[in-house]
Amino acid sequence: MAQKPSIPKGTRDFSPVQMKRRNYIFDSIRSVFQSFGYQPIETPAIEMLDTLLGKYGEEGDRLIFKILNSGHYSSKIPKETLEELSNSPEVDPAVSYKLTSSISEKALRYDLTVPFARYVVQHRNDITFPFKRYQLQPVWRADRPQKGRYREFYQCDVDVIGSDSLLNELELIQIIDTVFTKLNTRILIKLNNRKILTGISEIIGHPDKIIDITTAIDKIDKIGLEKVNEELNNKGLPKEAIDKLQPILTLSGDYISKLINLREVLSDSDIGLQGISEMQIIYEMVRQLNLNTLVELDLTLARGLNYYTGAIIEVKSLEVEIGSICGGGRYDNLTGIFGLPDVSGVGVSFGADRIYDVLDQSNGFPEHTATTTQVLIMNFGDEEIRSALLFASELRSSGISTEIYPDPAKMKKQMSYANYHQIPIVVIAGKNELEKKQLEIKNMKTGEQIAVLFEEMVPFLKRILF
Amino acid sequence: MAQKPSIPKGTRDFSPVQMKRRNYIFDSIRSVFQSFGYQPIETPAIEMLDTLLGKYGEEGDRLIFKILNSGHYSSKIPKETLEELSNSPEVDPAVSYKLTSSISEKALRYDLTVPFARYVVQHRNDITFPFKRYQLQPVWRADRPQKGRYREFYQCDVDVIGSDSLLNELELIQIIDTVFTKLNTRILIKLNNRKILTGISEIIGHPDKIIDITTAIDKIDKIGLEKVNEELNNKGLPKEAIDKLQPILTLSGDYISKLINLREVLSDSDIGLQGISEMQIIYEMVRQLNLNTLVELDLTLARGLNYYTGAIIEVKSLEVEIGSICGGGRYDNLTGIFGLPDVSGVGVSFGADRIYDVLDQSNGFPEHTATTTQVLIMNFGDEEIRSALLFASELRSSGISTEIYPDPAKMKKQMSYANYHQIPIVVIAGKNELEKKQLEIKNMKTGEQIAVLFEEMVPFLKRILF
């Protein structure tokens, strides 16, 4: 009968200590979102497969977890699909795809953006725009699991839709700054703008090569300008275009000097100039706010080029070598796929799992995340338990989390339970103590033990614990 | 292109107002669990199908949501399954079952109990017993959706395992009492004991009829003793057994008088007497604790007879007619199915969705669950926005959640946004106000509007808001 239990690869159990640390991250992020007036929503883990398919590219479609229809679903498989399955000795991958469409109509959420777009369209009559929402929920992807990449992981998304104002971009930068200041970990915010990238493509006349170009810029520091030019040539960019690119490839200096140089290079591109002017306005506002975080202009930032139309945002940890820990941007047509055009939005997503890894590797979790129970009351058996119950109730109503050890076990066992769970205080109220209307209070950190009267228990413990 | 978006039946989106109310329930439950020293864990939404199958009965097996394997999964379907599928014109349900086992090896969590048992066995070397854990996560069931029954819903489980002490049963009753006192809604706690039910079967000599008997007892008030006896006769219980049952069927009075009468009837059943004695100990302790909640002995309580071995607990709302809103019991062999025998546990599960319905229908949500943003600062355009940004930062650092309206829209539009979101305070700082180093503060509830100096803003708003 006995099975050796395990969980699917790429998924994780979270122990109490991990949970407390994760909650520390989630609570910090949530409280900042709330302080900026964002509203929580949640969507179901299960969406209609149609809602998700075609939104994440071909690769994404394959990585969506599909749910088998319930009941006698196999009776719905078309005859010809069955024939194809039976006839081909080596089954053609396309047959799996066909079979899926006849036996699965639901799937697990793949990200929070598409469900959010679906939510907005479905509930548009109940929403007042601008709509500022946040959403902290897990998503699932059938990716090949590897270090730091999971099949179930949390996204913490914050978006505002229905407003074109650059104030929203600014606010997201403020939110990022406040979250990581709160988490006490150093970061760098990188900004780019899709319009600047479009401007560059316009100037050199090769819009299809924009990814090759950003990849090349990214390599300058490592391999040098000459090698980068060679690579661009190999990728099929003509000499003339490469020449025009030179001032962009060698762009340097701070945020503002980069913008000034770019303005010259892109002077013939209206959209490029618009991107530059947006980045300048954002920068001016950021400067006035005296953020703790450095904000950098980085033209190599090309995330989400399929859907971002304005600012692109990415956050790097300055403490641990790891991929981006937060990112997002402006999208002008999120809800168009569901029939509601012209709703502009901007948002970022915090990667809670990676932030966990950063804090873990840099010893960034505060001490209090290691404990929840503050007081353990020892169990000496039926006689003494009545008093223990009353003490525990009194402590809990005073806001002190309290356990009674459930069995009258040996003192040593009860003490080691307190140690294991890092419970800072043990209350000892045996027959002797009770007769004297006293209890012994043991500080598990210092080893000190003090007798106090019943009525002094709560004030005494409050002094130690708070 | 445009799809009309929808979500799978039996699932739900949660709007900001619903989320705040749900979080009010979750936060209340969680804080009580923590005050009693329970530790949070989480398990993945996706479990191995093998882990879940066979744990919830045949019906349960069918209601588990199965996940389709990734990749070219159809190449793994055995030839003979394909033949069976192709040959039978009306496909035999058993074929769906066979097909499932070759194309699905993962499934969605069906409850929190089996994953918890799996967790304990898998991590037994990292756990110190007694292990007090709580877990608040959604579960999924392919049940037919109907009013109050969803395909995705939350369970809030609290269990202690590795301790036989009745103190744990008491603690769960205290937790129930504290949670519902905190939520300010009146309930009744019903208790039963599997050992008493076993004792009754022993006495009348028909262990297979225990469900019929509890169902019959449940009907006494409605249809009377005579009709109940008739029904028992129809169900195949011999006259002699029905005669022996009479004192149990007519059992009345309070908790203790019921126990005294039962003790006489079950005097020949050791296990029955043990159950009675357990219920008496629990009652004595409950009485000393002065709970707010009434505790009742109810022999008709027969939930989870497959696995409960001692106390059975169920909570009914006294405010709204609805099924049980919390329930659980003692199980002696939770982890046996995964190869770890003799781990006794006891726990209850709070039904957050039903508790939501109770509070909703009895107007039980406190007013503060309707709002998150406390202050809206009006947007008058580029000139004034710089001051607005600084005011907002100052308010947020003082713990006041603050939004700036993102666009310089008409005042009327900005005001109606504040109204819609029930934001209690609007700050007006236009050109005139700024020149006088003042701002106008409008109380949206009373309509009052007052001018205050910059430096008075925070103390003034703190007085109003806290």
Side-chain angles (χ1 to χ4, degrees):
Chain A
M1 263 304 282
Q3 305 169 353
K4 202 175 162 209
S6 66
I7 48 177
K9 58 180 182 194
T11 69
R12 292 162 292 169
D13 285 326
F14 296 109
S15 72
V17 171
Q18 289 168 322
M19 281 299 297
K20 282 171 234 165
R21 292 177 162 188
R22 287 170 67 83
N23 285 338
Y24 163 70
I25 294 173
F26 289 129
D27 292 346
S28 301
I29 292 175
R30 192 184 292 114
S31 71
V32 174
F33 290 172
Q34 284 174 356
S35 78
F36 281 83
Y38 286 77
Q39 311 274 328
I41 71 159
E42 282 188 4
T43 61
I46 304 175
E47 293 275 353
M48 298 308 292
L49 187 51
D50 278 350
T51 301
L52 305 187
L53 282 181
K55 310 305 188 297
Y56 308 104
E58 233 174 88
E59 171 79 354
D61 280 357
R62 277 196 289 116
L63 299 185
I64 292 170
F65 277 113
K66 286 105 188 162
I67 294 169
L68 209 49
N69 292 341
S70 306
H72 309 321
Y73 65 91
S74 66
S75 64
K76 303 273 165 57
I77 305 173
K79 273 281 160 218
E80 64 268 25
T81 307
L82 285 175
E83 270 160 37
E84 277 184 70
L85 280 167
S86 305
N87 293 341
S88 41
E90 287 255 317
V91 179
D92 176 10
V95 183
S96 282
Y97 185 80
K98 254 193 225 166
L99 180 59
T100 302
S101 65
S102 64
I103 61 178
S104 164
E105 56 184 25
K106 292 184 284 293
L108 289 181
R109 184 168 57 216
Y110 183 83
D111 74 352
L112 301 180
T113 308
V114 169
F116 175 50
R118 195 262 311 141
Y119 178 99
V120 170
V121 176
Q122 195 173 328
H123 304 281
R124 58 184 155 196
N125 296 327
D126 305 318
I127 293 173
T128 307
F129 296 98
F131 184 40
K132 302 170 75 172
R133 89 88 172 75
Y134 71 86
Q135 193 170 352
L136 275 60
Q137 290 194 280
V139 302
W140 295 268
R141 296 182 185 180
D143 247 322
R144 190 177 301 279
Q146 48 180 265
K147 195 174 172 298
R149 196 200 279 164
Y150 305 102
R151 292 185 148 192
E152 174 179 63
F153 59 96
Y154 265 78
Q155 293 193 330
C156 308
D157 278 24
V158 59
D159 292 79
V160 49
I161 61 165
S163 163
D164 292 327
S165 168
L166 290 174
L167 214 52
N168 300 303
E169 276 82 345
L170 175 73
E171 193 162 276
L172 293 172
I173 293 168
Q174 276 186 287
I175 287 176
I176 292 169
D177 177 63
T178 314
V179 165
F180 290 104
T181 300
K182 204 165 183 140
L183 293 175
N184 204 16
T185 189
R186 288 174 312 120
I187 55 150
L188 172 68
I189 300 179
K190 293 178 165 197
L191 297 182
N192 194 6
N193 195 303
R194 171 60 188 270
K195 290 171 183 160
I196 295 179
L197 295 179
T198 306
I200 295 174
S201 332
E202 277 186 16
I203 294 300
I204 62 160
H206 286 269
D208 54 313
K209 291 284 186 293
I210 189 66
I211 292 287
D212 291 334
I213 293 169
T214 57
T215 313
I217 302 175
D218 200 25
K219 284 186 184 166
I220 290 259
D221 283 345
K222 259 194 229 147
I223 62 175
L225 181 60
E226 219 166 310
K227 283 241 159 83
V228 162
N229 285 336
E230 242 172 69
E231 214 176 283
L232 287 170
N233 183 43
N234 293 341
K235 297 251 168 169
L237 209 64
K239 190 174 173 309
E240 194 196 27
I242 297 176
D243 284 348
K244 274 196 187 152
L245 257 185
Q246 294 309 300
I248 292 167
L249 292 175
T250 55
L251 203 65
S252 68
D254 61 13
Y255 194 109
I256 287 296
S257 1
K258 280 183 186 168
L259 282 185
I260 292 172
N261 288 325
L262 268 177
R263 194 182 293 279
E264 233 165 273
V265 184
L266 300 185
S267 57
D268 286 342
S269 163
D270 281 349
I271 189 154
L273 291 175
Q274 200 187 326
I276 291 169
S277 134
E278 286 182 7
M279 296 318 280
Q280 189 158 358
I281 293 171
I282 293 173
Y283 185 73
E284 292 296 333
M285 291 194 291
V286 164
R287 219 173 35 135
Q288 280 172 30
L289 282 171
N290 255 324
L291 302 189
N292 296 314
T293 307
L294 217 69
V295 176
E296 189 183 273
L297 185 70
D298 182 352
L299 292 185
T300 68
L301 220 67
R303 58 181 291 140
L305 276 194
N306 302 331
Y307 42 99
Y308 290 139
T309 51
I312 302 173
I313 305 171
E314 196 167 286
V315 177
K316 296 282 290 181
S317 168
L318 291 177
E319 315 219 14
V320 171
E321 191 72 47
I322 199 168
S324 131
I325 54 178
C326 175
R330 160 82 60 184
Y331 39 83
D332 270 346
N333 196 12
L334 177 69
T335 55
I337 38 170
F338 297 117
L340 184 65
D342 302 325
V343 178
S344 178
V346 57
V348 293
S349 181
F350 288 77
D353 294 273
R354 283 203 181 151
I355 295 172
Y356 185 99
D357 289 344
V358 166
L359 294 184
D360 199 28
Q361 285 167 45
S362 59
N363 288 316
F365 287 109
E367 216 183 315
H368 70 80
T369 56
T371 177
T372 48
T373 303
Q374 295 167 299
V375 173
L376 175 75
I377 302 181
M378 291 218 147
N379 187 331
F380 293 100
D382 288 353
E383 279 305 307
E384 293 84 356
I385 204 67
R386 290 153 209 275
S387 314
L389 285 168
L390 297 176
F391 294 146
S393 292
E394 207 184 330
L395 288 169
R396 286 180 199 125
S397 357
S398 310
I400 297 170
S401 62
T402 305
E403 296 182 46
I404 303 174
Y405 195 87
D407 305 277
K410 291 207 174 110
M411 265 187 86
K412 202 181 150 195
K413 192 173 177 191
Q414 300 192 39
M415 282 289 177
S416 76
Y417 177 88
N419 265 326
Y420 176 84
H421 286 290
Q422 302 192 38
I423 301 173
I425 301 289
V426 169
V427 166
I428 301 158
K431 208 171 162 225
N432 290 340
E433 285 82 19
L434 292 176
E435 272 169 8
K436 288 188 266 178
K437 300 209 176 302
Q438 282 187 347
L439 13 85
E440 295 277 330
I441 291 181
K442 183 169 177 131
N443 185 325
M444 295 298 281
K445 233 181 191 166
T446 63
E448 274 181 300
Q449 190 167 317
I450 295 177
V452 304
L453 289 170
F454 287 178
E455 62 267 29
E456 284 169 10
M457 175 185 70
V458 168
F460 181 84
L461 286 177
K462 277 192 163 179
R463 270 200 305 279
I464 301 184
L465 290 167
F466 301 121
Chain B
M1 262 304 283
Q3 305 168 354
K4 204 177 159 207
S6 66
I7 48 177
K9 58 181 181 189
T11 69
R12 292 163 292 168
D13 285 325
F14 296 109
S15 72
V17 171
Q18 288 168 324
M19 279 300 296
K20 282 172 232 165
R21 293 178 162 187
R22 287 171 66 82
N23 286 338
Y24 164 70
I25 295 173
F26 289 128
D27 291 345
S28 302
I29 292 175
R30 193 184 291 115
S31 73
V32 174
F33 290 172
Q34 283 173 357
S35 79
F36 281 82
Y38 287 76
Q39 311 274 328
I41 71 160
E42 282 189 3
T43 61
I46 304 174
E47 292 275 352
M48 299 307 293
L49 188 51
D50 279 351
T51 300
L52 305 186
L53 282 181
K55 312 302 189 296
Y56 309 103
E58 232 172 271
E59 171 78 353
D61 280 357
R62 276 194 291 114
L63 299 184
I64 292 170
F65 277 113
K66 285 107 188 160
I67 294 170
L68 207 51
N69 292 341
S70 304
H72 310 321
Y73 65 92
S74 67
S75 63
K76 302 275 164 55
I77 305 173
K79 275 279 160 217
E80 65 266 25
T81 307
L82 286 175
E83 272 161 33
E84 279 184 69
L85 280 167
S86 306
N87 294 341
S88 40
E90 286 256 316
V91 180
D92 177 10
V95 183
S96 282
Y97 186 80
K98 254 194 224 166
L99 180 60
T100 302
S101 64
S102 64
I103 61 176
S104 165
E105 56 183 28
K106 293 184 284 292
L108 289 181
R109 184 168 55 217
Y110 183 83
D111 74 353
L112 301 180
T113 308
V114 169
F116 176 48
R118 195 262 312 139
Y119 178 98
V120 169
V121 175
Q122 196 174 329
H123 304 281
R124 58 183 151 194
N125 296 327
D126 304 318
I127 293 172
T128 307
F129 295 99
F131 183 42
K132 301 169 77 170
R133 89 86 172 76
Y134 72 86
Q135 192 170 353
L136 274 61
Q137 291 193 278
V139 302
W140 295 269
R141 296 183 184 177
D143 247 323
R144 190 176 302 279
Q146 48 180 263
K147 194 175 172 300
R149 196 200 279 164
Y150 306 103
R151 291 185 148 191
E152 173 179 65
F153 59 97
Y154 265 79
Q155 293 193 329
C156 308
D157 278 24
V158 59
D159 292 78
V160 49
I161 59 164
S163 162
D164 293 328
S165 167
L166 290 174
L167 213 51
N168 299 304
E169 276 82 345
L170 174 73
E171 194 161 277
L172 292 173
I173 293 168
Q174 276 186 286
I175 286 176
I176 292 169
D177 176 64
T178 314
V179 164
F180 289 105
T181 300
K182 202 163 185 143
L183 292 176
N184 204 15
T185 188
R186 287 173 313 119
I187 56 150
L188 173 67
I189 300 178
K190 294 179 166 198
L191 297 181
N192 195 6
N193 195 303
R194 170 62 188 269
K195 290 172 184 160
I196 294 179
L197 295 180
T198 306
I200 294 174
S201 330
E202 275 186 18
I203 293 301
I204 62 160
H206 286 269
D208 55 311
K209 290 284 187 290
I210 190 66
I211 291 287
D212 291 334
I213 293 169
T214 57
T215 313
I217 302 175
D218 200 26
K219 286 185 183 164
I220 290 261
D221 283 347
K222 259 193 229 148
I223 62 174
L225 182 59
E226 219 164 310
K227 283 243 159 82
V228 162
N229 285 336
E230 242 172 69
E231 213 176 284
L232 286 170
N233 183 42
N234 292 342
K235 298 252 166 168
L237 208 65
K239 190 175 174 310
E240 193 195 27
I242 296 176
D243 283 348
K244 274 196 186 151
L245 257 185
Q246 293 310 298
I248 291 167
L249 292 175
T250 56
L251 203 64
S252 68
D254 62 12
Y255 194 110
I256 287 297
S257 3
K258 280 183 186 168
L259 282 185
I260 291 169
N261 288 327
L262 268 179
R263 193 182 294 279
E264 233 164 272
V265 183
L266 299 186
S267 58
D268 285 342
S269 163
D270 281 350
I271 189 152
L273 290 176
Q274 201 186 324
I276 291 169
S277 135
E278 286 181 8
M279 296 317 280
Q280 189 157 359
I281 292 172
I282 292 173
Y283 185 73
E284 292 295 334
M285 291 194 291
V286 164
R287 219 172 34 135
Q288 279 173 30
L289 282 171
N290 257 324
L291 300 189
N292 296 315
T293 308
L294 217 70
V295 177
E296 189 183 272
L297 185 70
D298 182 352
L299 293 185
T300 67
L301 220 64
R303 55 180 292 137
L305 274 193
N306 302 331
Y307 42 99
Y308 290 138
T309 51
I312 302 173
I313 305 171
E314 197 168 284
V315 177
K316 297 282 290 181
S317 167
L318 290 177
E319 314 219 15
V320 171
E321 192 71 48
I322 200 168
S324 132
I325 53 177
C326 173
R330 160 80 61 182
Y331 40 83
D332 271 346
N333 196 12
L334 176 68
T335 55
I337 36 170
F338 297 117
L340 184 66
D342 302 326
V343 178
S344 178
V346 58
V348 294
S349 181
F350 288 77
D353 294 275
R354 282 201 182 154
I355 295 172
Y356 185 99
D357 290 345
V358 166
L359 295 185
D360 198 29
Q361 286 168 43
S362 58
N363 288 317
F365 287 109
E367 215 183 314
H368 70 80
T369 56
T371 178
T372 48
T373 302
Q374 295 166 299
V375 173
L376 176 74
I377 302 181
M378 290 217 151
N379 187 332
F380 291 100
D382 287 353
E383 278 307 307
E384 294 83 357
I385 204 67
R386 290 152 209 276
S387 313
L389 285 168
L390 296 176
F391 294 147
S393 291
E394 205 185 330
L395 287 168
R396 288 181 197 124
S397 353
S398 309
I400 297 170
S401 62
T402 305
E403 293 183 49
I404 303 175
Y405 195 87
D407 304 279
K410 291 205 173 112
M411 265 188 84
K412 201 181 150 196
K413 192 172 178 193
Q414 299 191 39
M415 281 290 177
S416 77
Y417 177 88
N419 265 326
Y420 176 83
H421 286 291
Q422 303 191 37
I423 302 173
I425 301 289
V426 169
V427 167
I428 301 157
K431 207 171 162 229
N432 290 339
E433 285 81 19
L434 292 176
E435 272 168 7
K436 288 188 266 178
K437 299 209 176 303
Q438 283 187 347
L439 13 85
E440 294 279 330
I441 291 180
K442 183 170 176 130
N443 185 325
M444 295 298 281
K445 233 179 190 168
T446 63
E448 272 179 300
Q449 189 168 318
I450 295 176
V452 303
L453 290 170
F454 287 178
E455 62 267 28
E456 283 168 11
M457 174 185 70
V458 168
F460 181 84
L461 286 176
K462 276 193 165 177
R463 271 199 306 278
I464 303 184
L465 291 166
F466 300 121

